[in-house]
Structures are given as C-alpha cells and as structure tokens.
Amino acid sequence: MDNDKQALATDELSIIPLNNNWYQKLASNFEIIQSYLNKLDTDELEVNDLKNKFDDISGKMNVYDTNMQAIVNILSDYDVPIAIVDGKVVDTTKEGE
C-alpha cells in the first residue's frame, strides 16, 4: 500500500448511467479498501506478536522474582542480612555494626 492516501470515487457513484467507467471506479474503490484491510490484518498480527512477547517476558520476570525471593528467604534463614526492597536485594546491616 502506498503512503499516499487514495480517494474513493464515492462522490461520482450516484451518476445514473452505469457505464464501464462507473464499474471501473467501483472496482478501484474495492482495491483501495482491500489494501487498507490487508494493512489492518498485518498490524493485528504485529500487535499479537508483541503481546505474546510481552507475556513471555512477563512470565520470565515472575519466575525471576519468585526465584530471587526464594534465595533471599534461604539466606535469611542462615542470618544473612539481606532483604528485597523495592525489587532490589539489599544488605540490611546498619552502618557501624
């Protein structure tokens, strides 16, 4: 599909003599519409692909967060002074101890 906008010949479709020119303009309208429908189909596929990638990354992040929390819990059981604060593993010892 061209980047140039194509105009539909709808303003001329009301002319009553249904000659060959009228049918050509009508066919041209359908060609223009079809090109936009094809573009919409392509865009929908791209959006679905991006959504699937996002869902995959989101799932991996959930696994990462769960694993990180499990590691912190295990280390905390052994009195390692760490915790997860704002999504980051931090040392919980106070300065000067």
Side-chain angles (χ1 to χ4, degrees):
M1 180 171 60
D2 296 324
N3 288 337
D4 300 326
K5 291 193 177 207
Q6 298 172 320
L8 299 177
T10 54
D11 59 333
E12 298 178 27
L13 294 180
S14 62
I15 301 172
I16 288 301
L18 302 179
N19 57 24
N20 189 38
N21 188 32
W22 184 85
Y23 289 112
Q24 288 174 341
K25 288 181 180 181
L26 183 62
S28 174
N29 284 350
F30 284 111
E31 290 172 3
I32 292 168
I33 291 168
Q34 185 63 51
S35 67
Y36 284 100
L37 290 174
N38 292 343
K39 176 83 170 98
L40 285 174
D41 288 344
T42 301
D43 290 348
E44 182 179 1
L45 290 174
E46 290 174 4
V47 167
N48 287 338
D49 186 44
L50 289 174
K51 182 185 177 306
N52 290 338
K53 287 179 182 177
F54 174 79
D55 290 344
D56 184 49
I57 291 170
S58 179
K60 288 178 182 176
M61 288 301 296
N62 287 338
V63 168
Y64 172 82
D65 290 343
T66 301
N67 289 343
M68 187 58 62
Q69 185 62 55
I71 291 168
V72 167
N73 290 344
I74 291 168
L75 292 174
S76 293
D77 289 344
Y78 290 97
D79 295 325
V80 176
I82 62 170
I84 296 178
V85 177
D86 295 327
K88 298 177 183 175
V89 178
V90 295
D91 183 356
T92 57
T93 58
K94 295 183 180 165
E95 292 289 323
E97 286 188 13

